Amino acid sequence: MASKNVQKIQDWEAFFSRCMRDHVDFPIFQKELSRRNGQVPLNGRLIYECWAREHKGGLRVRDRLLCYFELLLQSGVVTNADVIQSLCLSLETTIASQESYQLPSGGWRQTLGAAVLERMAFQMTNRKVRPSGPADRIASLSISKPLVLLLSRFCKACGSSNTLIGPPLEIGNALGQYVAAYITELSKVGLLTSRDGAPPKDLKTCFGRALPPYIAMISRSNAELGQGLDILHKQSGLYNKSLAALVDDGVINGVDLNALTYQESILDTPLIVTRAALYIYLNAMLTGRPICEDVGSYNYLNSRYNGEIPTLVTDLITASFDVLANAINRTESNGSILAYRSFLTNKLPVFLEFYSSMIFPPLTIESCITTALNRMDPPADPYSTQSFDLLDSSGMLSEARAEFLFSCALYGLIPEQSIESILGDVPMQNLPEAGKYVKADLVTQCTTNSGKIEELVGELENMEGNAAEIAGALIEIIQSLCAAKDSITLKITCNALSRKPQALDVLMLFCQPNAILQPLCGLLDHWQVHEDQGEHHPVYDEFGSIFLFIFVFRRHFNLQDSDLGIGYSDSFVLKYIRNGRNARHPSDLTEQEYQLLGGWIKGLFETEVISDELISTCSPKDFHLLVATLFDQSLRSCEAGLLGLDNLKRGFEYLLESFLLPSLIAGLTWFAHRLLSPTLTNKSTLQILLSTLTPLIHPPSLASDASSLHSAVITITAPSLSAALSSVQKIHPTLPSIDPLLATLKSRFRHPRSSLASQAEIDSWCSTPGASILGTLQNTVTSLVAWSTTGALNAAPPNYTHRLLLTAVQMAGPKTVLEALLDAVMKHAANGPPDVVLDVVTAMVCAPVNGEQFSLRQALHSAYNDVYALSKRDAARAEIVVRLQRRVETQGTRSGGTGIDGGMGGTMDGAVDVGADGGDLLLAMSGATAGVDAGQEGMAGLGGMLDVGLDMQMADMMGTGAGGDDFLGL
């Protein structure tokens, strides 16, 4: 990584040199500084060191240079912690060469370290606005680690000198001033007081260890400063008498002092950028529901490549083809392969369009694309040796290459005439006739012609490069229609998407689920039926279409309640999810509900007419919440002989009308629940249930508009019904009516796009004697390392699915999985440098996940905090833990939001705007580079116990939430 900073460092050095040479005014400097930081993001410590090299060793540090330094601090480009970290690295050299600072007259030249410490102390003492927010308070605490280290290194560098003179005295005085200012700052902002009124224990331990030796040393040469610091130390509550008395064995009050600096003492190994890491990352993004978290993706890429955009682009393209080839070789589902292909054709060009502005001559985005595709050199290339056969899965790779190039041409990344030369063959397709879509135009077209919506839904699965604009348009349309309560057009939109659930895989490349589901659920939750509505059948029809789509969406991705974006507990949708299958006793119904239930029973089984009067008195929400009770009371009446079986089946057939069909979600789920009931011991009751269920699964006839709705309902309920019927069949194997039902359900069964493995997949990982899921995971790490170290760029990617890691964590727990990964690292480290395997395992820990933060990181953080104890038992393993944690801290930065406004992700409310210029991404990228350099990472280890306190504070601020029971099992 360090080599990738060379050009940036040179750019920053040139910037400071020009400003000093031309005496650039301070306002101009500040403006240019902000622009430079956005264009050439670099670690704050390295920027400070670029600035420091402008000090040419004069008698005193130039005032202009120090003023520039203050602006660096004020702008946040460089922090106090950055400066102190740099001083830690240079302090011993400065003190060791103190003779070079002596003047012929006997005086001393000013050291830069003393000058910056004095300026920082002055700034901290005289600042008008104190840090108040959580981020500011954490930034203040972050200074403590490097400051304690600087105090320790100062005492070590000065050794046993009785009197300090020259640079040691100057630096010592300035350091004392800064320590006094910092402790005062902590006191003023309330960071020296924990819940029991005393300073945080770990902060007290660190300063209690480092300050007494420093105070004793500085007092020999500056008694006044030493006395003042001693008083401040004791008054602040950081003083501990037992810690002030050092003992020969290095243990204070049972605490081993070496534990405070153990992590910092571990030297890092080179950071290797492997091919496998990005392969793992993209696999994780596209496993199960595609993860649309573009800020996190840009931060991850930026931290890995550190501004080497041409290399980033080339590797990103290569990895995208790798994951598609892997999915095809693994014979993944059609939905999974569609997501991989659509990412390559529809999402990747959007990434490349953003990065293209950061590639400068002589390189171009076209040259990067060509380089990536040339890596797949025929005839050894697994991508281009396949025959072009649309019916053959192997031909899909060649087809995908052409689709990708045409998408790049559509985005203006390459000229269309270059495609043939890059492919080495005449392409069999052309650019879309309509050219590149514009979201605003699509929204306008759909507003004036609702039929255009179905057309766009159909085009979502096309591999032409326009899916980003289509997705953005559809999401904006859905949100606008919900806001306007235009349920008629929403019915068209939802029905179109319900018929094509695979289109949702493409939509999720560009937004989060709540961008779509939140407004739809809100519309149903606040659905109102007006008395002057006229005919009420269309009301049920429109409500049912929206309702069905929500559950199609939910089932397709196995979503949790929190994914719906509902922020209130009395939601109709949440009530239905948790209680919709449960039949209630008539005595538990309200008077109104009881009357409504009687009306439906009468309409279905007595008059056999679903009158508009009945529907007008019962809102769609009330009806859907009564369906399970309606089924239960009707079946009980049949069991009791009060209702004939034929009459029962004829009545339920009314529910196959398109405007009532979505109610069968609860009805069929109730059947599954009833079939599994331990009270079902009467075979005649079972016969009634199966006889009634059969025409609902196998309708004798359906209207054309109801057929697709019925298919969607069966797909949603197939898992629970299949499990119930299979259970009944084991008890009653001779019942002939079960096999046809199971066959139909099997044909409609669709595995959700889940990030967890199926039972069949788990069995395959553990099929051989002695095999286990952890052993398979370790073998996978070995194959990824071998692939990354092979010299052949066109080597086929190894078999990999991120479901293996996620399922292992779920089954064995994060701590056990982490230990297995560390075992794999140790195995490779025993045979050579661990750099490659560390990068592979880092990618696994940092890989994006849907939902809460991946618990492997928490397990690693816990191991890191306890690493000193581990070092006593296994020093080599402890070093691996430290190095792995540093890499995860650097690369594991994730966005706290749900996407990015103006890029490919969602806005703050989960919406999407794919048509903007992505300007905010520049800010995200420039901010993401803080803490990237390996040299800084060593500082993160000092006083690891402080991190625990901060994590607990942040956990308290964040809060948690939990979803309820899910009766649909989705």
Side-chain angles (χ1 to χ4, degrees):
M1 275 294 187
S3 61
K4 295 186 176 183
N5 285 330
V6 172
Q7 183 59 52
K8 290 185 177 183
I9 290 173
Q10 292 174 350
D11 289 346
W12 277 99
E13 287 176 342
F15 168 70
F16 288 124
S17 178
R18 177 175 59 83
C19 291
M20 288 298 294
R21 183 191 66 231
D22 297 342
H23 296 273
V24 173
D25 291 338
F26 302 133
I28 297 176
F29 174 85
Q30 195 164 20
K31 182 178 179 180
E32 286 295 308
L33 178 65
S34 177
R35 187 179 66 84
R36 171 74 52 173
N37 192 45
Q39 292 179 343
V40 190
L42 189 62
N43 172 265
R45 178 180 64 80
L46 296 179
I47 293 176
Y48 164 76
E49 290 172 356
C50 291
W51 167 87
R53 280 189 277 276
E54 281 303 302
H55 175 54
K56 305 304 182 182
L59 184 62
R60 296 191 58 81
V61 181
R62 288 168 287 178
D63 289 338
R64 179 174 293 276
L65 190 61
L66 288 174
C67 288
Y68 287 162
F69 172 71
E70 290 188 1
L71 292 174
L72 284 172
L73 293 176
Q74 291 173 11
S75 65
V77 173
V78 173
T79 66
N80 279 233
D82 293 329
V83 178
I84 297 172
Q85 288 164 14
S86 181
L87 294 178
C88 287
L89 298 175
S90 62
L91 179 68
E92 292 182 7
T93 302
T94 301
I95 293 179
S97 59
Q98 57 181 299
E99 291 83 3
S100 63
Y101 286 85
Q102 190 165 19
L103 299 172
S105 61
W108 301 87
R109 288 189 292 110
Q110 185 183 30
T111 61
L112 185 65
V116 296
L117 283 169
E118 288 172 358
R119 285 292 173 120
M120 290 194 301
F122 180 81
Q123 251 191 16
M124 188 172 288
T125 303
N126 293 279
R127 72 170 68 186
K128 296 180 180 179
V129 180
R130 299 288 168 190
S132 56
D136 295 322
R137 292 163 66 86
I138 291 171
S140 295
L141 281 176
S142 68
I143 299 172
S144 62
K145 296 180 181 181
L147 183 55
V148 167
L149 179 61
L150 183 60
L151 288 167
S152 300
R153 289 196 171 181
F154 176 80
C155 294
K156 180 181 178 181
C158 294
S160 58
S161 303
N162 291 326
T163 304
L164 301 179
I165 59 171
L169 177 59
E170 183 190 27
I171 294 173
N173 288 338
L175 180 57
Q177 294 172 28
Y178 185 80
V179 169
Y182 179 63
I183 293 176
T184 303
E185 175 81 1
L186 291 181
S187 177
K188 287 181 178 179
V189 298
L191 290 174
L192 283 183
T193 305
S194 58
R195 293 177 181 175
D196 61 358
K201 181 178 178 181
D202 299 319
L203 196 64
K204 187 173 181 177
T205 300
C206 290
F207 276 99
R209 161 69 179 94
L211 266 179
Y214 166 78
I215 292 173
M217 178 169 287
I218 200 66
S219 295
R220 299 171 192 162
S221 305
N222 189 338
E224 185 179 357
L225 176 61
Q227 184 179 10
L229 281 173
D230 186 54
I231 294 172
L232 180 62
H233 184 202
K234 293 175 180 177
Q235 289 180 344
S236 66
L238 294 175
Y239 181 79
N240 189 309
K241 186 175 181 179
S242 61
L243 288 176
L246 303 180
V247 294
D248 293 337
D249 61 359
V251 176
I252 294 180
N253 199 24
V255 179
D256 193 330
L257 299 177
N258 293 324
L260 298 176
T261 56
Y262 173 75
Q263 292 99 325
E264 188 275 335
S265 69
I266 302 301
L267 298 178
D268 217 342
T269 55
L271 297 176
I272 304 296
V273 178
T274 64
R275 184 174 180 177
L278 205 49
Y279 175 64
I280 293 168
Y281 190 89
L282 292 186
N283 263 293
M285 278 184 63
L286 301 173
T287 294
R289 169 167 62 87
I291 297 174
C292 172
E293 191 174 311
D294 295 323
V295 170
S297 297
Y298 279 105
N299 287 343
Y300 173 78
L301 292 171
N302 190 59
S303 67
R304 279 188 64 78
Y305 291 92
N306 205 18
E308 292 292 327
I309 304 302
T311 305
L312 184 159
V313 167
T314 304
D315 289 354
L316 185 58
I317 296 170
T318 304
S320 301
F321 277 98
D322 285 339
V323 295
L324 175 59
N326 176 61
I328 294 172
N329 292 335
R330 286 178 46 81
T331 62
E332 294 275 6
S333 68
N334 291 336
S336 297
I337 291 177
L338 173 69
Y340 290 121
R341 289 185 67 186
S342 191
F343 176 85
L344 182 67
T345 306
N346 292 307
K347 179 87 179 224
L348 181 58
V350 187
F351 276 97
L352 301 184
E353 183 182 40
F354 170 73
Y355 281 120
S356 63
S357 63
M358 304 178 197
I359 299 176
F360 304 104
L363 296 176
T364 63
I365 188 69
E366 180 179 353
S367 67
C368 295
I369 294 171
T370 304
T371 299
L373 295 182
N374 284 344
R375 285 181 174 179
M376 311 158 197
D377 187 46
D381 171 29
Y383 307 107
S384 57
T385 58
Q386 314 296 342
S387 59
F388 190 85
D389 182 358
L390 291 175
L391 301 179
D392 181 15
S393 63
S394 62
M396 194 182 300
L397 293 168
S398 297
E399 184 181 358
R401 180 190 288 213
E403 291 167 349
F404 167 68
L405 288 175
F406 274 98
S407 293
C408 290
L410 185 70
Y411 275 80
L413 301 173
I414 61 173
E416 185 179 2
Q417 56 269 28
S418 298
I419 296 176
E420 182 176 341
S421 61
I422 297 174
L423 283 176
D425 197 2
V426 178
M428 297 180 63
Q429 68 185 84
N430 296 297
L431 289 174
E433 291 184 8
K436 188 174 185 298
Y437 286 169
V438 177
K439 186 187 76 171
D441 295 342
L442 297 180
V443 172
T444 301
Q445 294 171 27
C446 293
T447 303
T448 57
N449 176 19
S450 59
K452 181 69 174 177
I453 296 175
E454 290 190 77
E455 182 182 331
L456 289 180
V457 171
E459 290 185 39
L460 262 179
E461 297 180 47
N462 291 349
M463 302 298 161
E464 296 180 340
N466 273 321
E469 300 296 321
I470 295 174
L474 287 175
I475 295 164
E476 182 173 322
I477 289 166
I478 290 173
Q479 293 174 343
S480 299
L481 293 174
C482 289
K485 295 183 170 58
D486 185 352
S487 56
I488 297 175
T489 311
L490 275 173
K491 170 192 168 183
I492 296 172
T493 307
C494 291
N495 284 345
L497 288 167
S498 294
R499 287 192 295 268
K500 285 183 164 290
Q502 286 191 350
L504 298 177
D505 295 315
V506 182
L507 269 179
M508 290 300 98
L509 291 172
F510 304 98
C511 74
Q512 299 285 350
N514 61 5
I516 298 172
L517 295 179
Q518 185 180 40
L520 290 174
C521 291
L523 181 65
L524 295 191
D525 289 340
H526 301 94
W527 189 278
Q528 293 181 346
V529 179
H530 301 287
E531 294 182 1
D532 59 349
Q533 187 92 31
E535 190 178 1
H536 285 77
H537 284 72
V539 176
Y540 267 64
D541 206 9
E542 294 154 14
F543 183 98
S545 294
I546 300 169
F547 175 83
L548 178 61
F549 171 63
I550 290 172
F551 285 92
V552 167
F553 200 135
R554 195 169 183 271
R555 162 66 187 166
H556 186 67
F557 291 118
N558 196 24
L559 299 179
Q560 303 301 312
D561 293 353
S562 57
D563 296 317
L564 303 180
I566 301 173
Y568 39 91
S569 58
D570 61 342
S571 161
F572 155 74
V573 176
L574 291 182
K575 288 179 183 177
Y576 186 87
I577 289 171
R578 295 166 183 173
N579 301 306
R581 76 171 181 187
N582 299 324
R584 290 177 285 169
H585 192 274
S587 62
D588 294 330
L589 302 177
T590 65
E591 182 178 349
Q592 181 186 10
E593 289 172 333
Y594 188 84
Q595 292 176 353
L596 292 175
L597 177 63
W600 280 101
I601 291 176
K602 182 177 180 180
L604 290 173
F605 306 115
E606 294 184 19
T607 63
E608 298 186 0
V609 173
I610 307 299
S611 65
D612 198 61
E613 180 183 357
L614 171 62
I615 294 179
S616 66
T617 59
C618 181
S619 73
K621 292 191 292 185
D622 292 335
F623 169 66
H624 282 278
L625 290 174
L626 281 174
V627 167
T629 305
L630 173 63
F631 271 68
D632 183 69
Q633 291 300 308
S634 302
L635 267 293
R636 289 182 186 276
S637 298
C638 186
E639 293 173 35
L642 302 175
L643 182 64
L645 179 59
D646 290 339
N647 194 13
L648 178 69
K649 292 196 287 186
R650 281 198 307 271
F652 280 159
E653 283 181 11
Y654 281 104
L655 300 179
L656 294 170
E657 295 288 337
S658 60
F659 71 100
L660 295 177
L661 228 162
S663 68
L664 289 182
I665 295 176
L668 295 179
T669 310
W670 175 87
F671 266 106
H673 181 63
R674 185 75 176 88
L675 288 169
L676 290 173
S677 172
T679 61
L680 182 61
T681 56
N682 190 325
K683 194 169 183 179
S684 63
T685 301
L686 177 60
Q687 293 282 12
I688 293 173
L689 285 170
L690 294 175
S691 297
T692 310
L693 180 61
T694 298
L696 296 179
I697 296 178
H698 284 299
S701 63
L702 278 175
S704 58
D705 60 336
S707 179
S708 61
L709 299 179
H710 181 265
S711 178
V713 169
I714 298 301
T715 298
I716 291 170
T717 56
S720 55
L721 278 173
S722 296
L725 289 170
S726 297
S727 179
V728 170
Q729 192 176 49
K730 291 178 182 178
I731 302 172
H732 304 283
T734 59
L735 286 176
S737 56
I738 293 181
D739 279 331
L741 293 177
L742 285 174
T744 299
L745 293 172
K746 183 178 180 181
S747 67
R748 300 287 179 83
F749 189 88
R750 300 289 183 272
H751 284 288
R753 291 269 288 128
S754 172
S755 56
L756 296 178
S758 64
Q759 186 59 50
E761 200 165 17
I762 295 173
D763 292 341
S764 70
W765 294 331
C766 308
S767 57
T768 58
S772 67
I773 192 169
L774 294 179
T776 303
L777 179 61
Q778 291 173 327
N779 292 336
T780 299
V781 171
T782 299
S783 65
L784 290 167
V785 171
W787 179 56
S788 295
T789 54
T790 182
L793 290 174
N794 54 16
N799 186 324
Y800 180 76
T801 172
H802 203 64
R803 290 191 295 273
L804 172 62
L805 180 63
L806 297 176
T807 306
V809 170
Q810 185 190 52
M811 294 176 63
K815 184 176 180 180
T816 302
V817 172
L818 177 64
E819 292 302 321
L821 292 174
L822 291 174
D823 288 341
V825 176
M826 293 295 294
K827 178 182 176 181
H828 286 275
N831 300 317
D835 311 326
V836 173
V837 69
L838 273 174
D839 195 56
V840 169
V841 173
T842 299
M844 288 183 168
V845 179
C846 291
V849 290
N850 281 311
E852 295 182 359
Q853 188 75 298
F854 198 16
S855 53
L856 260 184
R857 297 190 194 188
Q858 298 168 355
L860 176 60
H861 185 73
S862 177
Y864 178 75
N865 287 333
D866 297 333
V867 73
Y868 182 68
L870 174 62
S871 70
K872 298 294 187 180
R873 306 187 304 271
D874 190 338
R877 193 181 189 89
E879 291 183 10
I880 292 298
V881 170
V882 172
R883 290 169 181 152
L884 180 60
Q885 172 69 8
R886 289 173 182 171
R887 285 163 169 77
V888 169
E889 285 179 346
T890 299
Q891 300 178 28
T893 303
R894 293 189 62 189
S895 165
T898 58
I900 184 161
D901 184 11
M904 287 64 69
T907 61
M908 291 179 65
D909 61 356
V912 67
D913 183 1
V914 294
D917 60 7
D920 288 346
L921 290 173
L922 288 169
L923 298 177
M925 291 185 66
S926 62
T929 56
V932 167
D933 185 71
Q936 179 189 350
E937 293 166 355
M939 306 300 175
L942 180 61
M945 296 174 286
L946 289 174
D947 289 332
V948 179
L950 287 177
D951 288 342
M952 294 176 65
Q953 293 173 32
M954 292 305 293
D956 290 339
M957 286 186 281
M958 293 293 290
T960 57
D965 295 332
D966 182 353
F967 84 87
L968 293 173
L970 301 182

